[in-house]
Amino acid sequence: KQKSGHSGGQAECPVFVFICAQCRTRALCAAQRMQSKPECCILPRKREYGMEEWNGALDGVKIITIGDSITGMSNQTYPSYLASLGAEVTNVGVSSTDMAWDTNVCASGVADVLAKKKTSADISTNYTGSQINEERFAAMDSADITETDVVTILYGTNDWAGNVDIANPRNPKDITTVTGGLRYAIETLTEANPNIKIVAIAPFYRNVWDGVPNHCADVTENRIGYKIADYGKAIGKVAEEYSNVYFFD
């Protein structure tokens, strides 16, 4: 409680502060790890950790956000937060999509559209009809990857739920796997813009929708034996292969 003085005496005003210490610690550790790659941070350094300190931190930074519904389902997700920090954000996330190829709307397909190798009409056969998807496909076609500073890539939750293989040991660039699809997207985007910075993001923990209380993907294997954290670890290892790619765990 914080005592607040005013005329007529003092009153005790309850002040509630909610902090997830574990999350803050992870964020600080991740920031320290990122220092090993020069010019890796899209945020200015030497800022104090406080929300007010980040206002305008991304002024003028052009970002394209790629992913599934966590990225693209509404205008209330993390791309809107990046925009609130001053970034120019183009959101091309499409719901129910994967990192790996199983339909044309996947990491490799979206990368092809952004690199102008395809148009959204080539990859959107099964996804037309939704207003928000139409907006995302239009954004893909109009985006200029050559003028973009940062691309974020966040997939994995649907890959886990759909029992998609993480890797093909005989073909590291097999786009029907998670790591192969990511490599294809990274290399396609980098070829289109050699100066691009790419942030690969691990999939979030999630519930398993089977009616079992507290049944979570971080402790539950899918049908091919992977937990959702296994997908995140694999994405992180791919990020280490490229000098312009950074991993957000």
mmCIF file with all atom_site columns, all heavy atoms in Angstrom, residues 226-238:
data_model
loop_
_atom_site.group_PDB
_atom_site.id
_atom_site.type_symbol
_atom_site.label_atom_id
_atom_site.label_alt_id
_atom_site.label_comp_id
_atom_site.label_asym_id
_atom_site.label_entity_id
_atom_site.label_seq_id
_atom_site.pdbx_PDB_ins_code
_atom_site.Cartn_x
_atom_site.Cartn_y
_atom_site.Cartn_z
_atom_site.occupancy
_atom_site.B_iso_or_equiv
_atom_site.pdbx_formal_charge
_atom_site.auth_seq_id
_atom_site.auth_comp_id
_atom_site.auth_asym_id
_atom_site.auth_atom_id
_atom_site.pdbx_PDB_model_num
ATOM 1   N N   . TYR A 1 226 ? 6.230  -35.653 -30.360 1.00 0.00 ? 226 TYR A N   1
ATOM 2   C CA  . TYR A 1 226 ? 6.847  -34.366 -30.062 1.00 0.00 ? 226 TYR A CA  1
ATOM 3   C C   . TYR A 1 226 ? 5.973  -33.518 -29.147 1.00 0.00 ? 226 TYR A C   1
ATOM 4   O O   . TYR A 1 226 ? 4.747  -33.476 -29.298 1.00 0.00 ? 226 TYR A O   1
ATOM 5   C CB  . TYR A 1 226 ? 7.085  -33.573 -31.349 1.00 0.00 ? 226 TYR A CB  1
ATOM 6   C CG  . TYR A 1 226 ? 8.107  -34.174 -32.274 1.00 0.00 ? 226 TYR A CG  1
ATOM 7   C CD1 . TYR A 1 226 ? 7.760  -34.535 -33.581 1.00 0.00 ? 226 TYR A CD1 1
ATOM 8   C CD2 . TYR A 1 226 ? 9.415  -34.380 -31.851 1.00 0.00 ? 226 TYR A CD2 1
ATOM 9   C CE1 . TYR A 1 226 ? 8.700  -35.084 -34.439 1.00 0.00 ? 226 TYR A CE1 1
ATOM 10  C CE2 . TYR A 1 226 ? 10.357 -34.921 -32.715 1.00 0.00 ? 226 TYR A CE2 1
ATOM 11  C CZ  . TYR A 1 226 ? 10.002 -35.272 -34.000 1.00 0.00 ? 226 TYR A CZ  1
ATOM 12  O OH  . TYR A 1 226 ? 10.919 -35.823 -34.845 1.00 0.00 ? 226 TYR A OH  1
ATOM 13  N N   . LYS A 1 227 ? 6.614  -32.826 -28.215 1.00 0.00 ? 227 LYS A N   1
ATOM 14  C CA  . LYS A 1 227 ? 5.965  -31.777 -27.441 1.00 0.00 ? 227 LYS A CA  1
ATOM 15  C C   . LYS A 1 227 ? 6.139  -30.467 -28.198 1.00 0.00 ? 227 LYS A C   1
ATOM 16  O O   . LYS A 1 227 ? 7.021  -30.335 -29.045 1.00 0.00 ? 227 LYS A O   1
ATOM 17  C CB  . LYS A 1 227 ? 6.588  -31.679 -26.053 1.00 0.00 ? 227 LYS A CB  1
ATOM 18  C CG  . LYS A 1 227 ? 6.452  -32.948 -25.221 1.00 0.00 ? 227 LYS A CG  1
ATOM 19  C CD  . LYS A 1 227 ? 7.186  -32.819 -23.896 1.00 0.00 ? 227 LYS A CD  1
ATOM 20  C CE  . LYS A 1 227 ? 7.106  -34.125 -23.116 1.00 0.00 ? 227 LYS A CE  1
ATOM 21  N NZ  . LYS A 1 227 ? 7.874  -34.048 -21.857 1.00 0.00 ? 227 LYS A NZ  1
ATOM 22  N N   . ILE A 1 228 ? 5.320  -29.483 -27.845 1.00 0.00 ? 228 ILE A N   1
ATOM 23  C CA  . ILE A 1 228 ? 5.392  -28.225 -28.594 1.00 0.00 ? 228 ILE A CA  1
ATOM 24  C C   . ILE A 1 228 ? 6.752  -27.547 -28.401 1.00 0.00 ? 228 ILE A C   1
ATOM 25  O O   . ILE A 1 228 ? 7.262  -26.878 -29.306 1.00 0.00 ? 228 ILE A O   1
ATOM 26  C CB  . ILE A 1 228 ? 4.228  -27.285 -28.224 1.00 0.00 ? 228 ILE A CB  1
ATOM 27  C CG1 . ILE A 1 228 ? 4.039  -26.244 -29.329 1.00 0.00 ? 228 ILE A CG1 1
ATOM 28  C CG2 . ILE A 1 228 ? 4.435  -26.646 -26.856 1.00 0.00 ? 228 ILE A CG2 1
ATOM 29  C CD1 . ILE A 1 228 ? 2.725  -25.513 -29.269 1.00 0.00 ? 228 ILE A CD1 1
ATOM 30  N N   . ALA A 1 229 ? 7.377  -27.758 -27.243 1.00 0.00 ? 229 ALA A N   1
ATOM 31  C CA  . ALA A 1 229 ? 8.700  -27.183 -27.016 1.00 0.00 ? 229 ALA A CA  1
ATOM 32  C C   . ALA A 1 229 ? 9.735  -27.750 -27.974 1.00 0.00 ? 229 ALA A C   1
ATOM 33  O O   . ALA A 1 229 ? 10.724 -27.073 -28.296 1.00 0.00 ? 229 ALA A O   1
ATOM 34  C CB  . ALA A 1 229 ? 9.128  -27.414 -25.574 1.00 0.00 ? 229 ALA A CB  1
ATOM 35  N N   . ASP A 1 230 ? 9.538  -28.977 -28.444 1.00 0.00 ? 230 ASP A N   1
ATOM 36  C CA  . ASP A 1 230 ? 10.472 -29.563 -29.403 1.00 0.00 ? 230 ASP A CA  1
ATOM 37  C C   . ASP A 1 230 ? 10.484 -28.773 -30.707 1.00 0.00 ? 230 ASP A C   1
ATOM 38  O O   . ASP A 1 230 ? 11.535 -28.619 -31.345 1.00 0.00 ? 230 ASP A O   1
ATOM 39  C CB  . ASP A 1 230 ? 10.096 -31.017 -29.681 1.00 0.00 ? 230 ASP A CB  1
ATOM 40  C CG  . ASP A 1 230 ? 10.227 -31.901 -28.448 1.00 0.00 ? 230 ASP A CG  1
ATOM 41  O OD1 . ASP A 1 230 ? 11.160 -31.682 -27.656 1.00 0.00 ? 230 ASP A OD1 1
ATOM 42  O OD2 . ASP A 1 230 ? 9.382  -32.813 -28.283 1.00 0.00 ? 230 ASP A OD2 1
ATOM 43  N N   . TYR A 1 231 ? 9.325  -28.275 -31.093 1.00 0.00 ? 231 TYR A N   1
ATOM 44  C CA  . TYR A 1 231 ? 9.248  -27.457 -32.308 1.00 0.00 ? 231 TYR A CA  1
ATOM 45  C C   . TYR A 1 231 ? 9.989  -26.136 -32.097 1.00 0.00 ? 231 TYR A C   1
ATOM 46  O O   . TYR A 1 231 ? 10.720 -25.684 -32.979 1.00 0.00 ? 231 TYR A O   1
ATOM 47  C CB  . TYR A 1 231 ? 7.790  -27.206 -32.687 1.00 0.00 ? 231 TYR A CB  1
ATOM 48  C CG  . TYR A 1 231 ? 7.088  -28.446 -33.194 1.00 0.00 ? 231 TYR A CG  1
ATOM 49  C CD1 . TYR A 1 231 ? 6.551  -29.380 -32.311 1.00 0.00 ? 231 TYR A CD1 1
ATOM 50  C CD2 . TYR A 1 231 ? 6.981  -28.702 -34.558 1.00 0.00 ? 231 TYR A CD2 1
ATOM 51  C CE1 . TYR A 1 231 ? 5.921  -30.531 -32.773 1.00 0.00 ? 231 TYR A CE1 1
ATOM 52  C CE2 . TYR A 1 231 ? 6.353  -29.855 -35.031 1.00 0.00 ? 231 TYR A CE2 1
ATOM 53  C CZ  . TYR A 1 231 ? 5.832  -30.765 -34.126 1.00 0.00 ? 231 TYR A CZ  1
ATOM 54  O OH  . TYR A 1 231 ? 5.216  -31.910 -34.586 1.00 0.00 ? 231 TYR A OH  1
ATOM 55  N N   . GLY A 1 232 ? 9.805  -25.535 -30.921 1.00 0.00 ? 232 GLY A N   1
ATOM 56  C CA  . GLY A 1 232 ? 10.505 -24.289 -30.631 1.00 0.00 ? 232 GLY A CA  1
ATOM 57  C C   . GLY A 1 232 ? 12.014 -24.464 -30.628 1.00 0.00 ? 232 GLY A C   1
ATOM 58  O O   . GLY A 1 232 ? 12.758 -23.630 -31.167 1.00 0.00 ? 232 GLY A O   1
ATOM 59  N N   . LYS A 1 233 ? 12.499 -25.550 -30.023 1.00 0.00 ? 233 LYS A N   1
ATOM 60  C CA  . LYS A 1 233 ? 13.941 -25.799 -29.990 1.00 0.00 ? 233 LYS A CA  1
ATOM 61  C C   . LYS A 1 233 ? 14.502 -25.973 -31.394 1.00 0.00 ? 233 LYS A C   1
ATOM 62  O O   . LYS A 1 233 ? 15.590 -25.483 -31.712 1.00 0.00 ? 233 LYS A O   1
ATOM 63  C CB  . LYS A 1 233 ? 14.225 -27.041 -29.147 1.00 0.00 ? 233 LYS A CB  1
ATOM 64  C CG  . LYS A 1 233 ? 13.978 -26.846 -27.659 1.00 0.00 ? 233 LYS A CG  1
ATOM 65  C CD  . LYS A 1 233 ? 14.153 -28.165 -26.895 1.00 0.00 ? 233 LYS A CD  1
ATOM 66  C CE  . LYS A 1 233 ? 13.820 -27.992 -25.423 1.00 0.00 ? 233 LYS A CE  1
ATOM 67  N NZ  . LYS A 1 233 ? 13.915 -29.288 -24.691 1.00 0.00 ? 233 LYS A NZ  1
ATOM 68  N N   . ALA A 1 234 ? 13.774 -26.678 -32.231 1.00 0.00 ? 234 ALA A N   1
ATOM 69  C CA  . ALA A 1 234 ? 14.230 -26.893 -33.601 1.00 0.00 ? 234 ALA A CA  1
ATOM 70  C C   . ALA A 1 234 ? 14.282 -25.586 -34.383 1.00 0.00 ? 234 ALA A C   1
ATOM 71  O O   . ALA A 1 234 ? 15.219 -25.345 -35.159 1.00 0.00 ? 234 ALA A O   1
ATOM 72  C CB  . ALA A 1 234 ? 13.315 -27.898 -34.304 1.00 0.00 ? 234 ALA A CB  1
ATOM 73  N N   . ILE A 1 235 ? 13.296 -24.731 -34.178 1.00 0.00 ? 235 ILE A N   1
ATOM 74  C CA  . ILE A 1 235 ? 13.282 -23.423 -34.836 1.00 0.00 ? 235 ILE A CA  1
ATOM 75  C C   . ILE A 1 235 ? 14.484 -22.599 -34.383 1.00 0.00 ? 235 ILE A C   1
ATOM 76  O O   . ILE A 1 235 ? 15.144 -21.924 -35.183 1.00 0.00 ? 235 ILE A O   1
ATOM 77  C CB  . ILE A 1 235 ? 11.953 -22.704 -34.539 1.00 0.00 ? 235 ILE A CB  1
ATOM 78  C CG1 . ILE A 1 235 ? 10.813 -23.400 -35.297 1.00 0.00 ? 235 ILE A CG1 1
ATOM 79  C CG2 . ILE A 1 235 ? 12.017 -21.222 -34.910 1.00 0.00 ? 235 ILE A CG2 1
ATOM 80  C CD1 . ILE A 1 235 ? 9.423  -22.968 -34.859 1.00 0.00 ? 235 ILE A CD1 1
ATOM 81  N N   . GLY A 1 236 ? 14.801 -22.672 -33.089 1.00 0.00 ? 236 GLY A N   1
ATOM 82  C CA  . GLY A 1 236 ? 15.954 -21.946 -32.567 1.00 0.00 ? 236 GLY A CA  1
ATOM 83  C C   . GLY A 1 236 ? 17.263 -22.418 -33.182 1.00 0.00 ? 236 GLY A C   1
ATOM 84  O O   . GLY A 1 236 ? 18.162 -21.619 -33.477 1.00 0.00 ? 236 GLY A O   1
ATOM 85  N N   . LYS A 1 237 ? 17.390 -23.716 -33.394 1.00 0.00 ? 237 LYS A N   1
ATOM 86  C CA  . LYS A 1 237 ? 18.620 -24.250 -33.988 1.00 0.00 ? 237 LYS A CA  1
ATOM 87  C C   . LYS A 1 237 ? 18.776 -23.802 -35.438 1.00 0.00 ? 237 LYS A C   1
ATOM 88  O O   . LYS A 1 237 ? 19.883 -23.516 -35.901 1.00 0.00 ? 237 LYS A O   1
ATOM 89  C CB  . LYS A 1 237 ? 18.622 -25.773 -33.888 1.00 0.00 ? 237 LYS A CB  1
ATOM 90  C CG  . LYS A 1 237 ? 18.839 -26.284 -32.468 1.00 0.00 ? 237 LYS A CG  1
ATOM 91  C CD  . LYS A 1 237 ? 18.840 -27.817 -32.411 1.00 0.00 ? 237 LYS A CD  1
ATOM 92  C CE  . LYS A 1 237 ? 19.065 -28.308 -30.987 1.00 0.00 ? 237 LYS A CE  1
ATOM 93  N NZ  . LYS A 1 237 ? 19.039 -29.797 -30.894 1.00 0.00 ? 237 LYS A NZ  1
ATOM 94  N N   . VAL A 1 238 ? 17.669 -23.723 -36.157 1.00 0.00 ? 238 VAL A N   1
ATOM 95  C CA  . VAL A 1 238 ? 17.736 -23.221 -37.533 1.00 0.00 ? 238 VAL A CA  1
ATOM 96  C C   . VAL A 1 238 ? 18.180 -21.759 -37.535 1.00 0.00 ? 238 VAL A C   1
ATOM 97  O O   . VAL A 1 238 ? 19.001 -21.346 -38.367 1.00 0.00 ? 238 VAL A O   1
ATOM 98  C CB  . VAL A 1 238 ? 16.378 -23.383 -38.244 1.00 0.00 ? 238 VAL A CB  1
ATOM 99  C CG1 . VAL A 1 238 ? 16.385 -22.666 -39.597 1.00 0.00 ? 238 VAL A CG1 1
ATOM 100 C CG2 . VAL A 1 238 ? 16.054 -24.856 -38.440 1.00 0.00 ? 238 VAL A CG2 1
#
